[in-house]
mmCIF file of all heavy atoms in Angstrom:
data_model
loop_
_atom_site.group_PDB
_atom_site.id
_atom_site.type_symbol
_atom_site.label_atom_id
_atom_site.label_comp_id
_atom_site.label_asym_id
_atom_site.label_seq_id
_atom_site.Cartn_x
_atom_site.Cartn_y
_atom_site.Cartn_z
ATOM 1 N N ASP U 168 9.183 -2.064 27.779
ATOM 2 C CA ASP U 168 10.266 -2.153 28.691
ATOM 3 C C ASP U 168 11.028 -3.489 28.552
ATOM 4 O O ASP U 168 12.100 -3.686 29.241
ATOM 5 C CB ASP U 168 9.716 -2.042 30.161
ATOM 6 C CG ASP U 168 8.624 -3.102 30.543
ATOM 7 O OD1 ASP U 168 8.031 -3.629 29.532
ATOM 8 O OD2 ASP U 168 8.502 -3.373 31.662
ATOM 9 N N GLN U 169 10.528 -4.461 27.789
ATOM 10 C CA GLN U 169 11.117 -5.687 27.584
ATOM 11 C C GLN U 169 11.657 -5.872 26.163
ATOM 12 O O GLN U 169 11.978 -6.992 25.739
ATOM 13 C CB GLN U 169 10.186 -6.803 27.978
ATOM 14 C CG GLN U 169 9.655 -6.779 29.339
ATOM 15 C CD GLN U 169 8.754 -7.910 29.702
ATOM 16 O OE1 GLN U 169 9.109 -9.051 29.667
ATOM 17 N NE2 GLN U 169 7.500 -7.526 30.063
ATOM 18 N N HIS U 170 11.684 -4.812 25.391
ATOM 19 C CA HIS U 170 12.034 -4.782 24.017
ATOM 20 C C HIS U 170 13.362 -5.540 23.722
ATOM 21 O O HIS U 170 13.560 -6.190 22.704
ATOM 22 C CB HIS U 170 12.010 -3.461 23.413
ATOM 23 C CG HIS U 170 12.350 -3.345 21.967
ATOM 24 N ND1 HIS U 170 11.472 -3.828 21.000
ATOM 25 C CD2 HIS U 170 13.454 -3.002 21.256
ATOM 26 C CE1 HIS U 170 11.960 -3.677 19.835
ATOM 27 N NE2 HIS U 170 13.191 -3.136 19.946
ATOM 28 N N TYR U 171 14.369 -5.371 24.621
ATOM 29 C CA TYR U 171 15.663 -5.895 24.405
ATOM 30 C C TYR U 171 15.908 -7.236 25.002
ATOM 31 O O TYR U 171 17.030 -7.725 25.037
ATOM 32 C CB TYR U 171 16.749 -4.858 24.842
ATOM 33 C CG TYR U 171 16.695 -3.614 24.067
ATOM 34 C CD1 TYR U 171 16.108 -2.436 24.579
ATOM 35 C CD2 TYR U 171 17.163 -3.523 22.755
ATOM 36 C CE1 TYR U 171 16.044 -1.254 23.839
ATOM 37 C CE2 TYR U 171 17.112 -2.328 22.062
ATOM 38 C CZ TYR U 171 16.506 -1.232 22.573
ATOM 39 O OH TYR U 171 16.505 -0.114 21.831
ATOM 40 N N LEU U 172 14.791 -7.812 25.537
ATOM 41 C CA LEU U 172 14.963 -9.132 26.241
ATOM 42 C C LEU U 172 14.536 -10.226 25.236
ATOM 43 O O LEU U 172 13.698 -10.004 24.355
ATOM 44 C CB LEU U 172 14.078 -9.186 27.478
ATOM 45 C CG LEU U 172 14.436 -8.147 28.623
ATOM 46 C CD1 LEU U 172 13.407 -8.315 29.719
ATOM 47 C CD2 LEU U 172 15.807 -8.339 29.076
ATOM 48 N N PRO U 173 15.039 -11.417 25.391
ATOM 49 C CA PRO U 173 14.686 -12.543 24.459
ATOM 50 C C PRO U 173 13.177 -12.872 24.542
ATOM 51 O O PRO U 173 12.676 -13.326 23.529
ATOM 52 C CB PRO U 173 15.485 -13.707 25.035
ATOM 53 C CG PRO U 173 16.739 -13.050 25.736
ATOM 54 C CD PRO U 173 16.176 -11.825 26.311
ATOM 55 N N ALA U 174 12.529 -12.643 25.693
ATOM 56 C CA ALA U 174 11.084 -12.936 25.841
ATOM 57 C C ALA U 174 10.231 -11.962 25.052
ATOM 58 O O ALA U 174 9.015 -12.309 24.865
ATOM 59 C CB ALA U 174 10.773 -12.918 27.351
ATOM 60 N N TYR U 175 10.773 -10.843 24.567
ATOM 61 C CA TYR U 175 9.942 -9.812 23.906
ATOM 62 C C TYR U 175 9.164 -10.452 22.754
ATOM 63 O O TYR U 175 7.969 -10.188 22.524
ATOM 64 C CB TYR U 175 10.784 -8.649 23.461
ATOM 65 C CG TYR U 175 10.015 -7.613 22.719
ATOM 66 C CD1 TYR U 175 9.151 -6.784 23.309
ATOM 67 C CD2 TYR U 175 10.098 -7.575 21.261
ATOM 68 C CE1 TYR U 175 8.408 -5.815 22.567
ATOM 69 C CE2 TYR U 175 9.379 -6.638 20.554
ATOM 70 C CZ TYR U 175 8.577 -5.743 21.237
ATOM 71 O OH TYR U 175 7.807 -4.812 20.514
ATOM 72 N N TYR U 176 9.825 -11.213 21.934
ATOM 73 C CA TYR U 176 9.199 -11.813 20.702
ATOM 74 C C TYR U 176 8.014 -12.576 21.059
ATOM 75 O O TYR U 176 6.953 -12.512 20.418
ATOM 76 C CB TYR U 176 10.218 -12.604 19.845
ATOM 77 C CG TYR U 176 9.532 -13.350 18.771
ATOM 78 C CD1 TYR U 176 9.034 -12.654 17.617
ATOM 79 C CD2 TYR U 176 9.317 -14.751 18.780
ATOM 80 C CE1 TYR U 176 8.344 -13.299 16.656
ATOM 81 C CE2 TYR U 176 8.732 -15.409 17.794
ATOM 82 C CZ TYR U 176 8.218 -14.678 16.643
ATOM 83 O OH TYR U 176 7.567 -15.388 15.645
ATOM 84 N N GLU U 177 8.119 -13.502 21.971
ATOM 85 C CA GLU U 177 6.962 -14.297 22.391
ATOM 86 C C GLU U 177 5.816 -13.489 22.964
ATOM 87 O O GLU U 177 4.596 -13.865 22.769
ATOM 88 C CB GLU U 177 7.386 -15.389 23.490
ATOM 89 C CG GLU U 177 8.367 -16.356 22.940
ATOM 90 C CD GLU U 177 7.794 -17.221 21.725
ATOM 91 O OE1 GLU U 177 6.551 -17.480 21.759
ATOM 92 O OE2 GLU U 177 8.539 -17.511 20.788
ATOM 93 N N LEU U 178 6.102 -12.365 23.575
ATOM 94 C CA LEU U 178 5.036 -11.485 24.096
ATOM 95 C C LEU U 178 4.356 -10.787 23.065
ATOM 96 O O LEU U 178 3.165 -10.630 23.061
ATOM 97 C CB LEU U 178 5.659 -10.475 25.157
ATOM 98 C CG LEU U 178 6.295 -11.136 26.412
ATOM 99 C CD1 LEU U 178 7.040 -10.057 27.149
ATOM 100 C CD2 LEU U 178 5.146 -11.680 27.270
ATOM 101 N N ILE U 179 5.080 -10.328 22.063
ATOM 102 C CA ILE U 179 4.496 -9.503 20.952
ATOM 103 C C ILE U 179 3.886 -10.319 19.851
ATOM 104 O O ILE U 179 3.195 -9.882 19.017
ATOM 105 C CB ILE U 179 5.533 -8.490 20.417
ATOM 106 C CG1 ILE U 179 4.896 -7.281 19.712
ATOM 107 C CG2 ILE U 179 6.538 -9.149 19.521
ATOM 108 C CD1 ILE U 179 4.159 -6.397 20.640
ATOM 109 N N LYS U 180 4.337 -11.614 19.777
ATOM 110 C CA LYS U 180 3.909 -12.523 18.689
ATOM 111 C C LYS U 180 2.432 -12.521 18.363
ATOM 112 O O LYS U 180 2.023 -12.455 17.230
ATOM 113 C CB LYS U 180 4.504 -13.887 18.962
ATOM 114 C CG LYS U 180 4.141 -14.928 17.903
ATOM 115 C CD LYS U 180 4.735 -16.282 18.263
ATOM 116 C CE LYS U 180 4.267 -17.290 17.246
ATOM 117 N NZ LYS U 180 4.887 -18.596 17.613
ATOM 118 N N PRO U 181 1.518 -12.667 19.333
ATOM 119 C CA PRO U 181 0.112 -12.699 19.028
ATOM 120 C C PRO U 181 -0.377 -11.457 18.396
ATOM 121 O O PRO U 181 -1.531 -11.516 17.785
ATOM 122 C CB PRO U 181 -0.561 -12.925 20.453
ATOM 123 C CG PRO U 181 0.511 -13.400 21.323
ATOM 124 C CD PRO U 181 1.794 -12.825 20.822
ATOM 125 N N TYR U 182 0.316 -10.335 18.388
ATOM 126 C CA TYR U 182 -0.161 -9.085 17.838
ATOM 127 C C TYR U 182 0.568 -8.623 16.590
ATOM 128 O O TYR U 182 0.312 -7.609 16.091
ATOM 129 C CB TYR U 182 -0.042 -7.986 18.912
ATOM 130 C CG TYR U 182 -0.680 -8.342 20.218
ATOM 131 C CD1 TYR U 182 0.041 -8.889 21.316
ATOM 132 C CD2 TYR U 182 -2.038 -8.185 20.375
ATOM 133 C CE1 TYR U 182 -0.551 -9.231 22.424
ATOM 134 C CE2 TYR U 182 -2.678 -8.557 21.608
ATOM 135 C CZ TYR U 182 -1.925 -9.088 22.654
ATOM 136 O OH TYR U 182 -2.534 -9.398 23.808
ATOM 137 N N LEU U 183 1.501 -9.519 16.089
ATOM 138 C CA LEU U 183 2.351 -9.087 14.972
ATOM 139 C C LEU U 183 1.546 -8.885 13.653
ATOM 140 O O LEU U 183 2.068 -8.320 12.733
ATOM 141 C CB LEU U 183 3.457 -10.130 14.706
ATOM 142 C CG LEU U 183 4.606 -10.112 15.731
ATOM 143 C CD1 LEU U 183 5.640 -11.195 15.404
ATOM 144 C CD2 LEU U 183 5.271 -8.779 15.681
ATOM 145 N N GLY U 184 0.309 -9.368 13.594
ATOM 146 C CA GLY U 184 -0.518 -9.139 12.387
ATOM 147 C C GLY U 184 -0.773 -7.663 12.169
ATOM 148 O O GLY U 184 -1.259 -7.374 11.113
ATOM 149 N N GLY U 185 -0.532 -6.847 13.143
ATOM 150 C CA GLY U 185 -0.684 -5.421 12.969
ATOM 151 C C GLY U 185 0.568 -4.657 12.918
ATOM 152 O O GLY U 185 0.604 -3.394 12.971
ATOM 153 N N ALA U 186 1.675 -5.332 12.819
ATOM 154 C CA ALA U 186 3.035 -4.683 12.830
ATOM 155 C C ALA U 186 3.375 -3.999 11.523
ATOM 156 O O ALA U 186 3.261 -4.632 10.436
ATOM 157 C CB ALA U 186 4.159 -5.641 13.236
ATOM 158 N N PRO U 187 3.833 -2.749 11.561
ATOM 159 C CA PRO U 187 4.315 -2.096 10.372
ATOM 160 C C PRO U 187 5.657 -2.711 9.882
ATOM 161 O O PRO U 187 6.316 -3.343 10.735
ATOM 162 C CB PRO U 187 4.434 -0.649 10.733
ATOM 163 C CG PRO U 187 4.775 -0.685 12.199
ATOM 164 C CD PRO U 187 3.897 -1.872 12.692
ATOM 165 N N ALA U 188 6.069 -2.442 8.688
ATOM 166 C CA ALA U 188 7.263 -3.041 8.108
ATOM 167 C C ALA U 188 8.540 -2.622 8.910
ATOM 168 O O ALA U 188 9.435 -3.384 9.106
ATOM 169 C CB ALA U 188 7.422 -2.609 6.648
ATOM 170 N N VAL U 189 8.574 -1.372 9.433
ATOM 171 C CA VAL U 189 9.753 -0.862 10.098
ATOM 172 C C VAL U 189 9.942 -1.722 11.324
ATOM 173 O O VAL U 189 11.153 -1.961 11.682
ATOM 174 C CB VAL U 189 9.599 0.614 10.389
ATOM 175 C CG1 VAL U 189 8.459 0.910 11.354
ATOM 176 C CG2 VAL U 189 10.903 1.183 10.980
ATOM 177 N N ASP U 190 8.941 -2.108 12.024
ATOM 178 C CA ASP U 190 9.126 -2.904 13.305
ATOM 179 C C ASP U 190 9.554 -4.318 12.894
ATOM 180 O O ASP U 190 10.322 -4.946 13.669
ATOM 181 C CB ASP U 190 7.808 -2.930 14.048
ATOM 182 C CG ASP U 190 7.511 -1.644 14.772
ATOM 183 O OD1 ASP U 190 8.248 -0.645 14.541
ATOM 184 O OD2 ASP U 190 6.467 -1.516 15.352
ATOM 185 N N LEU U 191 9.087 -4.878 11.824
ATOM 186 C CA LEU U 191 9.521 -6.208 11.446
ATOM 187 C C LEU U 191 10.958 -6.246 10.972
ATOM 188 O O LEU U 191 11.676 -7.157 11.237
ATOM 189 C CB LEU U 191 8.631 -6.711 10.289
ATOM 190 C CG LEU U 191 7.130 -6.934 10.665
ATOM 191 C CD1 LEU U 191 6.274 -7.261 9.412
ATOM 192 C CD2 LEU U 191 6.972 -8.030 11.610
ATOM 193 N N LYS U 192 11.327 -5.152 10.316
ATOM 194 C CA LYS U 192 12.803 -5.089 9.894
ATOM 195 C C LYS U 192 13.686 -4.997 11.107
ATOM 196 O O LYS U 192 14.745 -5.560 11.183
ATOM 197 C CB LYS U 192 12.944 -3.825 9.070
ATOM 198 C CG LYS U 192 12.334 -3.879 7.702
ATOM 199 C CD LYS U 192 12.460 -2.521 6.950
ATOM 200 C CE LYS U 192 11.830 -2.572 5.566
ATOM 201 N NZ LYS U 192 12.520 -3.506 4.535
ATOM 202 N N ALA U 193 13.183 -4.316 12.162
ATOM 203 C CA ALA U 193 14.000 -4.257 13.431
ATOM 204 C C ALA U 193 14.010 -5.613 14.110
ATOM 205 O O ALA U 193 15.059 -6.131 14.633
ATOM 206 C CB ALA U 193 13.401 -3.179 14.319
ATOM 207 N N LEU U 194 12.917 -6.238 14.060
ATOM 208 C CA LEU U 194 12.761 -7.596 14.725
ATOM 209 C C LEU U 194 13.673 -8.671 13.954
ATOM 210 O O LEU U 194 14.098 -9.604 14.574
ATOM 211 C CB LEU U 194 11.308 -8.052 14.650
ATOM 212 C CG LEU U 194 10.867 -9.206 15.649
ATOM 213 C CD1 LEU U 194 11.067 -8.661 17.073
ATOM 214 C CD2 LEU U 194 9.436 -9.515 15.359
ATOM 215 N N SER U 195 13.902 -8.411 12.685
ATOM 216 C CA SER U 195 14.759 -9.373 11.930
ATOM 217 C C SER U 195 16.114 -9.437 12.447
ATOM 218 O O SER U 195 16.919 -10.369 12.061
ATOM 219 C CB SER U 195 14.698 -9.072 10.444
ATOM 220 O OG SER U 195 15.436 -7.843 10.187
ATOM 221 N N LYS U 196 16.543 -8.475 13.214
ATOM 222 C CA LYS U 196 17.974 -8.427 13.733
ATOM 223 C C LYS U 196 18.085 -9.229 15.095
ATOM 224 O O LYS U 196 19.167 -9.166 15.708
ATOM 225 C CB LYS U 196 18.414 -6.980 13.900
ATOM 226 C CG LYS U 196 18.322 -6.222 12.516
ATOM 227 C CD LYS U 196 18.689 -4.703 12.797
ATOM 228 C CE LYS U 196 18.496 -3.903 11.511
ATOM 229 N NZ LYS U 196 18.740 -2.446 11.712
#
């Protein structure tokens, strides 16, 4: 529910070691 907020990255950051490539590509934007 916070995907489009600036705070989303800091919230999801501790778990990014399990992120698939498609989610990282989206995050790069």
Side-chain angles (χ1 to χ4, degrees):
D168 59 337
Q169 303 181 60
H170 181 72
Y171 296 103
L172 299 178
Y175 175 76
Y176 171 69
E177 293 300 326
L178 294 171
I179 201 71
K180 180 180 175 180
Y182 306 98
L183 284 178
V189 62
D190 288 1
L191 295 173
K192 289 176 181 292
L194 201 61
S195 70
K196 303 174 183 178

